[in-house]
Amino acid sequence: MSTETEDGHDDHGHHLPAVEDWPQGFGEASWWPFVTALGAAGIYAGVALWIIGDAISPLAGPAAVAGSVGLFLVGIYGWLYHAFITKFWSRETSEHGHASLRWGMIAFLGSELATFGALFSYYFYFRAGSAWTLPETTPDLISSLILANTAILIASSFTLHWAHVALRNDDRTNFLRGMGLTILFAVVFLGGQAFEYFEFIGEYGFTWTQGVYSSAFFGLTGLHGLHVGLGAAILGIVFVRALYGQYSADRHLSVSTASMYWHFVDAVWIFLVVVLYVGAGQA
């Protein structure tokens, strides 16, 4: 039985297409999570092709990984744009929407925890084996660079918390300062990680093809770096909105959810440093 909307149009009992989303879905449906998942799955397939590349083509694996990473980033962009910009750019949502977004972020962080947990489980499995060794090219893992980078990332959690508290106290100036410092620390951290990669590969010849540890090192630190970059992008969106004065003591939903994500990323890094840097150095 068809129904008629308030403007007089008959929708035949179906929800109208989600015109703000692409590809279009129906009602609240969105294809962006599917696109993101497809890109993530393609990365794993590309790595497999990379490993057996000689049997197919040396370029098949790298090309598949590059294309999958691109698809994954496009999916993430569309997903974030749909969740954080189109619906929440000019206004906050209802109380039901508040709960939905918070629980959505909690569910997302749960999936992220499962991803990192699975990778660490594989690492611990091989780490416990009798054949476990570190590559001969393994550099000094506990360096001033890693200590400084860790301190910077931990400091970013404090500056973000400071910014959030300032916002709840209607202190817009310190809110903007805290957000700006947090984003700056994120960029510096990523620069430090890139420099570490450059030094490890170029100076020591330590690459991801030299055994379980090197693969785990670059895989886990690289995955975390991707999350830091994603977090920096989310905080950048929040910062731009803050410059437009779209937050207040009673209106800071996306600041809260972005903070949840950033503190999670920081906690994962601390665990990663303890396991991959300090723990491996005791081998």
Side-chain angles (χ1 to χ4, degrees), residues 196-236:
E196 181 185 55
Y197 280 6
F198 175 80
E199 188 177 52
F200 281 10
I201 296 172
E203 184 175 342
Y204 295 97
F206 179 69
T207 66
W208 55 85
T209 61
Q210 297 178 333
V212 174
Y213 175 74
S214 61
S215 298
F217 177 86
F218 284 102
L220 284 167
T221 57
L223 180 63
H224 180 268
L226 179 64
H227 282 74
V228 172
L230 176 60
I234 295 174
L235 294 177

Side-chain angles (χ1 to χ4, degrees), residues 2-241:
S2 66
T3 59
E4 187 170 337
T5 60
E6 292 180 358
D7 58 2
H9 294 289
D10 188 358
D11 64 7
H12 301 285
H14 298 288
H15 294 291
L16 294 176
V19 296
E20 74 278 5
D21 198 17
W22 186 93
Q24 289 187 353
F26 291 93
E28 294 300 318
S30 171
W31 286 92
W32 287 117
F34 175 77
V35 173
T36 305
L38 188 63
I43 294 174
Y44 289 100
V47 170
L49 286 175
W50 203 330
I51 294 174
I52 62 172
D54 293 338
I56 302 176
S57 170
L59 297 178
V65 170
S68 298
V69 168
L71 184 63
F72 176 80
L73 293 177
V74 168
I76 286 291
Y77 172 80
W79 198 353
L80 290 176
Y81 187 91
H82 180 66
F84 281 92
I85 299 179
T86 57
K87 290 186 177 181
F88 304 108
W89 180 259
S90 60
R91 69 186 189 282
E92 291 292 337
T93 185
S94 64
E95 286 300 320
H96 174 73
H98 285 197
S100 296
L101 188 57
R102 287 196 180 96
W103 280 109
M105 178 57 74
I106 291 173
F108 175 70
L109 294 181
S111 69
E112 293 292 281
L113 184 62
T115 299
F116 278 103
L119 294 175
F120 275 114
S121 296
Y122 277 115
Y123 172 76
F124 289 139
Y125 173 79
F126 288 106
R127 179 72 171 79
S130 58
W132 169 263
T133 57
L134 290 178
E136 294 182 358
T137 56
T138 303
D140 182 14
L141 296 171
I142 309 300
S143 64
S144 57
L145 176 60
I146 188 61
L147 294 176
N149 236 19
T150 301
I152 286 170
L153 199 61
I154 292 174
S156 71
S157 268
F158 284 99
T159 55
L160 182 57
H161 178 70
W162 170 48
H164 200 185
V165 171
L167 176 62
R168 291 199 294 263
N169 292 329
D170 264 333
D171 186 353
R172 184 173 182 271
T173 299
N174 282 327
F175 169 57
L176 291 174
R177 287 174 180 169
M179 290 298 303
L181 279 174
T182 303
I183 296 171
L184 176 62
F185 286 156
V187 173
V188 172
F189 174 86
L190 290 173
Q193 189 172 37
F195 181 76
E196 181 185 55
Y197 280 6
F198 175 80
E199 188 177 52
F200 281 10
I201 296 172
E203 184 175 342
Y204 295 97
F206 179 69
T207 66
W208 55 85
T209 61
Q210 297 178 333
V212 174
Y213 175 74
S214 61
S215 298
F217 177 86
F218 284 102
L220 284 167
T221 57
L223 180 63
H224 180 268
L226 179 64
H227 282 74
V228 172
L230 176 60
I234 295 174
L235 294 177
I237 294 172
V238 171
F239 185 68
V240 171
R241 291 189 59 185

